[in-house]
Amino acid sequence: MPIRSSAAEFRRRLPFGIGTVVGMLSVVLVVIVGAVLAIDRPAGNADHGFGQLRSYRAAPEDAWTLTDADLPGYLDTGGPIRVEEADDDIWLISYPIGLGRAFTTISRSTGRPLWQRPLDVGLGDCAFTTSGRLGCAVRLANPADGGLDEGFYLIDDAGNVTESAPRNDTARVAGVGSNFLRINDTGFRVTLSTPAGRTLWSRSFAAAVAADVNGTGGVEVTDHAVIVATVDGSYYLINRTDGTDTLACTSCTMRTYPTGLAVEYHQADARRVEIYPISTAGRIAGTPSTTIANAHLLRGSSVRPALTADNAVLADHGTYVVIDPRSGDSWKVDDPEASKAGARPCGTLLSVPRIDRSRVTLDLVDGSRIGEAPVPAHHEANIDNYGCVGSSGSTLIGSNGSRIAAFAADGGVVWQQNLGGSISVVDGFLVAARGTTLSVLRPN
């Protein structure tokens, strides 16, 4: 039975005080839990974000494959076919065409295009609002060839233009509630506009909005805020109502989780992680509930932030902390056999290596032990060689760029496949981009 302690007591011990080992799970890693009597879990099958995959506990086959032959004007010189967004059963995809990209929608179940013809936006962009309205900024080098004139267009379910407005130098688009966030050609100005083009607010940044950060395209939209990353390593948590900063930082990283926001500061003399809760209404607090000095976040798409100490090189074993940002509840791995490197948060799981290269898998929410894995027998069975894609139940799925593999909690390789491209996750589905094709792997 885990030993419980108050959140206040836990914070007094941070950062990562060695302390006395006070609890033990059989012969595996020690897990110290700070919790209340009940712990809220992330939503189950209804929520497939934060590394939570649909059921891939057995080797999947391709549900469908979209090829360049299905996409008029496709040219393989401008990057792969991409799923840009999902609006329930309708997926918005883009692909290279001439100078820029074309967009169309496809059926999630069949992969077939839903429009008679794609929309060539050139160097522009498209995005859905929360209500499912599609807006596209069109920026063609030569619209006289039959394409739309430069502008911002609303597109219906059949791919037809319903309304238009000036482009106003818009190059990138994101849906924010019922409106559109529009980033200008240089990337320095961000404007929130109604579908009809009326400006609600506009602001500039000292550096351009980043092209892509953690798969969010440099912009992440939450229920009540917009997170913007810029190329100079700054992050901004912006109030969606008026565009003002709720939080801004330089030389930092912001990562969202179902119950909060973690901000990691990278300055050598002030390294720390600050935790900000998200209310049940979806509002991110403007002040941190917890600050942990000399720590950094472990990388991986997951439902909870997992941290380890910056000065681990001076320690004789690894120490890890997992926190629920909303409640402040936490648990800790502090065992003499825990390795100082290689711990992997992924979906709802935390895989922690021992010094001898064996591993233990823990539930990321409450720290309970799920399984124990022996030393891997060969390279392809070593989870150290795979980055996190997500978790499916007690199975952790990873990719090394050329291969995707699923690992059971006991270390067994449940299934593996040669990838021949890149893997991404869309609404909990595994999506493989292989050269001039795009495939969805069918859940079990």
Side-chain angles (χ1 to χ4, degrees), residues 88 98 159 227 244 298 302 324 395 428:
D88 293 328
I227 297 174
T244 57
L298 299 179
S302 61
D324 177 4
T395 302

Side-chain angles (χ1 to χ4, degrees), residues 2 21-33 317-320 331-340 343-344 350-356 358-362 367-373:
V21 174
V22 293
M24 185 167 287
L25 293 177
S26 185
V27 294
V28 301
L29 299 172
V30 176
V31 179
I32 303 171
V33 180
H317 66 273
T319 307
Y320 305 96
W331 56 271
K332 182 178 181 181
V333 174
D334 187 357
D335 185 272
E337 298 304 315
S339 174
K340 293 182 289 185
R344 182 153 299 136
L350 177 66
S351 176
V352 180
R354 292 194 182 95
I355 294 171
D356 65 0
S358 63
R359 279 184 174 266
V360 62
T361 299
L362 305 169
S368 60
R369 173 179 171 270
I370 295 175
E372 185 177 358

Side-chain angles (χ1 to χ4, degrees), residues 384-397:
D384 282 337
N385 301 315
Y386 294 80
C388 167
V389 174
S391 68
S392 180
S394 61
T395 302
L396 189 152
I397 297 175

